[in-house]
């Protein structure tokens, strides 16, 4: 359903270092960088699906209240690694890895990046 998603940043270099550390456990890597934007994709994807951008209007980047971007994780171990790497890279804990009440196999972790963007890694496979 989604073609791509973006998060805004006020420091693209710092955000790039953060996402370069956080996204590989989920199978995403930096695929493209142009002025003001960094794109991440899965190895077999033909386009970047996750972008970190400086706002086009040149206003400060802000996060949305109530917005969470949930990324698919292949395993619960990948969720754990995503969370640990986010904290090690200076992110903020918004919910440690664990099962959530949404259904019996909904295993997730929630973090915020340096700009306050909230992301989740979710594995829905039973383990």
């Amino acid at each position: 359903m989604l073609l791509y998603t973006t998060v805004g940043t006020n420091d693209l270099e710092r955000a790039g270092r953060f996402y370069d550390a956080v996204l590989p456990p989920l199978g995403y890597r930096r695929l493209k960088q142009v002025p003001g934007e960094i794109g991440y994709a899965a190895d077999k994807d033909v386009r970047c699906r996750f972008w970190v951008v400086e706002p086009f209007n040149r206003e400060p980047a802000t996060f949305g209240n109530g917005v969470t971007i949930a990324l698919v994780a292949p395993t619960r171990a990948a969720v754990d690694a995503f969370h640990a790497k986010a904290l090690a890279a200076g992110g903020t804990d918004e919910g440690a890895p664990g099962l959530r009440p949404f259904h019996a196999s909904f295993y997730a972790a929630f973090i915020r990046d340096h700009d306050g963007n909230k992301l989740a890694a979710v594995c829905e496979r039973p383990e």
Side-chain angles (χ1 to χ4, degrees):
M1 177 166 72
L2 297 176
L3 183 63
Y4 66 87
T5 189
T6 64
V7 293
T9 185
N10 294 302
D11 186 337
L12 190 63
E13 185 177 319
R14 180 181 66 179
R17 288 190 307 270
F18 179 82
Y19 286 106
D20 286 350
V22 169
L23 294 179
L26 305 181
Y28 301 103
R29 62 181 174 82
R30 185 188 293 215
L31 186 65
K32 187 172 186 177
Q33 182 167 355
V34 296
E37 301 178 347
I38 300 172
Y40 294 85
D43 285 336
K44 294 182 182 180
D45 210 335
V46 296
R47 68 167 15 122
C48 295
R49 302 288 180 175
F50 184 84
W51 288 90
V52 182
V53 302
E54 295 172 340
F56 183 74
N57 66 2
R58 306 283 188 239
E59 296 292 322
T62 59
F63 61 89
N65 185 24
V67 174
T68 302
I69 298 171
L71 302 170
V72 174
T75 63
R76 292 181 183 186
V79 172
D80 297 344
F82 163 86
H83 187 262
K85 288 183 178 290
L87 297 183
T92 305
D93 178 26
E94 285 287 321
L99 290 168
R100 299 299 194 269
F102 308 120
H103 63 71
S105 298
F106 196 99
Y107 188 86
F110 299 83
I111 60 98
R112 286 194 187 268
D113 70 9
H114 297 284
D115 293 289
N117 297 300
K118 187 175 180 183
L119 284 88
V122 181
C123 178
E124 295 186 288
R125 298 175 48 204
E127 290 188 17

